[in-house]
Amino acid sequence: MAGKASPRIGVLALQGDFREHIASLTELVADVVPLRRPEEIDGLDGVVIPGGESSVMDKLSRAFGVAEPLGAAIRGGLPTYGTCAGMIMLSARITDGIAGQHTLDVLDTTVRRNAFGNQNDSFEIDIPMPDLGAEPVHAVFIRAPVVEQHGASVDVIGALPDGQVVAVQQGNVLASAFHPEVAGEDRFHRRFLDIVRRA
Ligand code: GLN
């Protein structure tokens, strides 16, 4: 996006909490648009994949013909941030997916869906993440996944006190198992926009 005044960010808006991401991003950058159709990918400088239900998002993104060109664009370097279901959509491998669930396969991780079970399926916790600054991140988990395994080129940005990995970055792809967009936490969106500006 070299030379452009303001990056254009697309938020995948087929399902889930895309409105919250659009609101968070609009605080930081002027040009934020919903992404629903394959022809809208061209001209984007970055993409956000929201939280929601990954199996539904997967089906809709394939039905709308967005999944394949979006995966190709991300593999080609398009900066991308996924939260929760968005993290699942990005992951190369998932455990406890529904039968036939696909992903965009752009992040070298194995992610377990609904990793915290029914007892503890939603919770909030402050997690130190030195990459994002001294202040811990207030992380809101809602039927969240965890990263069970990751390749050597994946950096861990955040983990729970028991060591379970919940935020990662691999090149231009950033992902968190929790929802900064509902917590008034803008440092993940800022980090994503830094990736966009450097790309
Ligand atoms: N459990 C959901 C899924 O599997 C993710 C939940 C969320 O995005 N808050 O897609």
Side-chain angles (χ1 to χ4, degrees):
M1 68 147 296
K4 269 171 71 175
S6 178
R8 165 167 282 219
I9 306 300
V11 180
L12 189 65
L14 299 173
Q15 193 271 334
D17 76 338
F18 55 88
R19 291 175 194 84
E20 285 77 1
H21 277 288
I22 290 172
S24 301
L25 288 160
T26 302
E27 297 283 317
L28 301 173
V29 74
D31 198 2
V32 184
V33 294
L35 167 61
R36 295 194 178 91
R37 298 174 185 287
E39 59 270 21
E40 293 165 345
I41 296 169
D42 256 10
L44 295 180
D45 299 302
V47 166
V48 169
I49 305 183
E53 174 46 55
S54 58
S55 58
V56 177
M57 217 182 287
D58 164 47
K59 280 187 189 146
L60 292 175
S61 64
R62 285 190 281 140
F64 278 62
V66 176
E68 205 193 318
L70 182 57
I74 299 169
R75 269 187 290 279
L78 183 67
T80 303
Y81 174 37
T83 63
C84 200
M87 172 190 255
I88 298 167
M89 286 288 291
L90 295 171
S91 184
R93 298 166 298 279
I94 52 178
T95 28
D96 283 4
I98 70 160
Q101 182 168 353
H102 295 219
T103 70
L104 300 177
D105 186 5
V106 293
L107 183 62
D108 185 10
T109 49
T110 304
V111 164
R112 174 174 294 277
R113 282 178 72 228
N114 302 327
F116 299 97
N118 293 328
Q119 293 291 328
N120 200 16
D121 68 355
S122 298
F123 60 98
E124 303 185 17
I125 183 173
D126 290 328
I127 307 177
M129 296 191 202
D131 286 333
L132 297 180
E135 193 73 20
V137 169
H138 185 68
V140 176
F141 290 82
I142 305 168
R143 296 186 312 283
V146 295
V147 177
E148 290 189 318
Q149 179 274 335
H150 60 85
S153 58
V154 175
D155 293 323
V156 174
I157 294 181
L160 291 169
D162 65 4
Q164 295 194 91
V165 173
V166 291
V168 294
Q169 182 172 344
Q170 181 181 20
N172 285 352
V173 179
L174 180 66
S176 62
F178 49 87
H179 294 275
E181 74 279 10
V182 303
E185 165 60 68
D186 68 3
R187 286 174 289 172
F188 274 86
H189 292 92
R190 287 182 186 278
R191 187 180 179 93
F192 161 67
L193 291 170
D194 286 343
I195 298 170
V196 169
R197 292 193 180 95
R198 278 199 305 269

